[in-house]
Amino acid sequence: MTAKCSVFIATSLDGFIARTNGSIDWLETAASRVSGDDYGYRDFFKSIDAIVMGRLSFETALSFPTWPYGKRDVVVLTRTLPSTSSAYPDTVTTSSEDPATIITRLTRQGLTRFYIDGGKTIQSFLKANLIDELIITIVPVLLGEGIPLFGPLGGDVTVELVSSKSYPCGFVQNRYRVTGRREKS
């Protein structure tokens, strides 16, 4: 079985996924001004088998009024959270495995479509050459500083634009296919 790892995320116009303190209030404000459109998220979510996310993204999801991932399996990459807790939904496990090991293990369990979430987690999967697709919705707000979606990758990651769609609210969603990687020389 071949695994497919996809990113579905929103960024500010200047490339941040959260404020420096981890807050996504700017995204919640933008989303509250638009009604009825989920920008393809529901269809994307139906297409995945499991979510692999970082600890900070997990903690943010836990703070929502309801658990946003339903019965979908969620693996939280962390070295600090306990492997089990009554505070976690029963679909959540934690792991300190590297990206290649976690995807290999999950693929052996029959899971093949993965939603990769969280800045550092996305960066580690890009470094490991495991991201196949990036769906990035750009929200028309400049934060000036925050947690960036991308960071040092150890080389170029080439992508091909598959589609681009603009919305009346000013959001722009770009879908990219990752086509290759070249290590720095």
Side-chain angles (χ1 to χ4, degrees):
M1 283 184 264
T2 303
K4 181 176 182 182
C5 296
S6 301
V7 171
F8 193 109
I9 199 161
T11 70
S12 62
L13 181 59
D14 47 356
F16 298 109
I17 58 173
R19 295 190 187 278
T20 51
N21 67 0
S23 173
I24 57 169
D25 63 323
W26 59 274
L27 180 57
E28 293 164 348
T29 299
S32 72
R33 290 192 305 255
V34 244
S35 62
D37 200 335
D38 73 349
Y39 307 96
Y41 182 77
R42 239 182 324 267
D43 288 338
F44 170 78
F45 194 77
K46 286 180 198 173
S47 76
I48 59 143
D49 297 323
I51 303 159
V52 179
M53 67 172 47
R55 178 185 55 84
L56 295 176
S57 295
F58 174 63
E59 289 173 348
T60 298
L62 279 178
S63 74
F64 295 156
T66 59
W67 180 242
Y69 305 115
K71 296 295 182 189
R72 191 78 74 226
D73 289 330
V74 175
V75 178
V76 180
L77 297 182
T78 179
R79 297 192 193 296
T80 58
L81 292 177
S83 58
T84 60
S85 169
S86 60
Y88 303 165
D90 60 2
T91 57
V92 172
T93 59
T94 65
S95 173
S96 61
E97 296 167 298
D98 65 81
T101 302
I102 190 79
I103 293 301
T104 298
R105 179 173 61 80
L106 294 171
T107 301
R108 285 186 183 139
Q109 295 173 10
L111 306 173
T112 59
R113 293 274 321 208
F114 303 99
Y115 173 10
I116 310 304
D117 196 23
K120 289 179 183 176
T121 301
I122 292 167
Q123 290 171 22
S124 69
F125 273 70
L126 280 166
K127 284 180 187 176
N129 200 28
L130 291 171
I131 298 294
D132 299 290
E133 172 183 53
L134 296 159
I135 303 163
I136 303 170
T137 302
I138 301 165
V139 177
V141 62
L142 296 168
L143 300 180
E145 62 182 352
I147 299 171
L149 174 56
F150 301 113
L153 296 171
D156 297 343
V157 175
T158 56
V159 299
E160 174 184 308
L161 181 65
V162 174
S163 65
S164 185
K165 183 175 181 181
S166 61
Y167 294 88
C169 65
F171 290 13
V172 176
Q173 186 175 80
N174 296 314
R175 180 181 296 256
Y176 299 95
R177 179 181 310 113
V178 176
T179 58
R181 181 177 161 89
R182 190 184 77 212
E183 300 296 321
K184 284 188 178 175
S185 35

